[in-house]
């Protein structure tokens, strides 16, 4: 696992080390030892899988409002997705900066999103499957969000969203506090 810094502080694009032989490919998708070597605090508490039937499915922006460290490692297992992260940590040098990364089963990348950052993605292929390792348990009472088309952030999505939950469409405009 190779950890590459992104423009958001403490966010990493994780490139796998691929081992190939006549059986196919092998890669390590999570290694606590490698994460500790980078001085990253991440302990898996929950693992989620998002199955998305249609190209243009948009999920997010989601975050946990009152969490200490709701970090996540996101991997596209099948298909292709465009991931967007927004730094909401007021004490961060990259506060309100956004980062866009394409993840796919072909490039085999993962992204480590630091806690207190909002994350969203749109699928770029039908039947896209995404796996999340979570450092905190989901808490419905702390569920927060930003609308995908909030004018404050003006995110440019690579394709027009076609499938969005009512909840994700109805988040209020983002306001600085």
């Amino acid at each position: 696992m190779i950890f590459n810094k992104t423009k958001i502080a403490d966010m990493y694009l994780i490139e796998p080390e691929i081992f190939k032989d006549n059986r196919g490919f092998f890669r390590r998708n999570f290694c606590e030892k490698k994460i500790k070597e980078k001085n990253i605090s991440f302990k898996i508490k929950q693992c989620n899988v998002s199955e998305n039937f249609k190209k243009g499915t948009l999920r997010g922006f989601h975050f946990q409002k009152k969490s200490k460290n709701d970090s996540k490692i996101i991997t596209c297992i099948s298909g292709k997705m465009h991931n967007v992260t927004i730094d909401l940590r007021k004490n961060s040098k990259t506060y309100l900066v956004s980062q866009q990364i394409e993840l796919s089963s072909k490039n085999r990348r993962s992204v480590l999103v630091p806690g207190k950052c909002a994350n969203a993605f749109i699928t770029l292929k039908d039947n896209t499957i995404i796996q999340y390792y979570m450092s905190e348990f989901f808490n419905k009472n702390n569920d927060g969000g930003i609308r995908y088309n909030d004018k404050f952030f003006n995110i440019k999505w690579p394709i027009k969203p076609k499938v969005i939950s009512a909840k994700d469409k109805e988040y209020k405009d983002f306001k600085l506090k």
Side-chain angles (χ1 to χ4, degrees), residues 5-149:
K5 291 182 178 183
T6 67
K7 64 183 177 179
I8 293 180
D10 307 315
M11 181 177 174
Y12 295 90
L13 176 63
I14 304 170
E15 299 280 353
E17 295 177 89
I18 305 287
F19 301 94
K20 181 183 177 193
D21 64 20
N22 63 340
R23 298 170 293 175
F25 296 94
F26 174 86
R27 73 181 188 262
R28 185 170 292 146
N29 201 41
F30 180 85
C31 181
E32 184 178 357
K33 182 179 173 183
K34 292 278 188 184
I35 288 172
K36 281 184 178 180
E37 286 173 5
K38 292 290 179 187
N39 293 317
I40 299 167
S41 176
F42 192 99
K43 188 170 190 147
I44 297 173
K45 300 242 178 117
Q46 191 170 305
C47 187
N48 303 326
V49 174
S50 171
E51 298 183 43
N52 304 276
F53 305 124
K54 299 289 184 189
K55 174 181 176 178
T57 299
L58 193 137
R59 294 182 187 251
F61 288 92
H62 301 147
F63 60 95
Q64 291 283 288
K65 293 184 281 192
K66 297 178 183 176
S67 175
K68 291 180 183 173
N69 184 17
D70 60 321
S71 300
K72 54 188 73 84
I73 297 174
I74 302 169
T75 305
C76 183
I77 301 298
S78 177
K80 189 175 184 182
M81 65 184 274
H82 184 82
N83 194 80
V84 182
T85 303
I86 300 171
D87 190 346
L88 297 179
R89 300 168 294 171
K90 290 182 180 177
N91 61 347
S92 170
K93 63 185 177 192
T94 56
Y95 179 55
L96 301 180
V97 170
S98 67
Q99 173 74 58
Q100 302 193 30
I101 295 175
E102 187 174 289
L103 303 175
S104 70
S105 55
K106 191 172 183 177
N107 69 27
R108 299 179 177 92
R109 295 172 166 168
S110 298
V111 64
L112 190 152
V113 176
K116 301 191 186 297
C117 289
N119 201 80
F121 67 81
I122 190 166
T123 59
L124 301 176
K125 288 189 172 184
D126 289 345
N127 300 310
T128 295
I129 300 173
I130 295 130
Q131 179 179 351
Y132 302 75
Y133 294 113
M134 310 295 291
S135 68
E136 290 292 331
F137 297 108
F138 175 75
N139 182 336
K140 189 174 183 170
N141 296 327
N142 287 333
D143 195 19
I146 297 169
R147 203 175 52 257
Y148 74 98
N149 61 354

Side-chain angles (χ1 to χ4, degrees), residues 161-173:
K162 295 178 184 166
V163 181
I164 308 169
S165 73
K167 177 179 119 178
D168 287 351
K169 286 180 185 178
E170 294 170 1
Y171 286 122
K172 305 261 187 266
D173 288 340

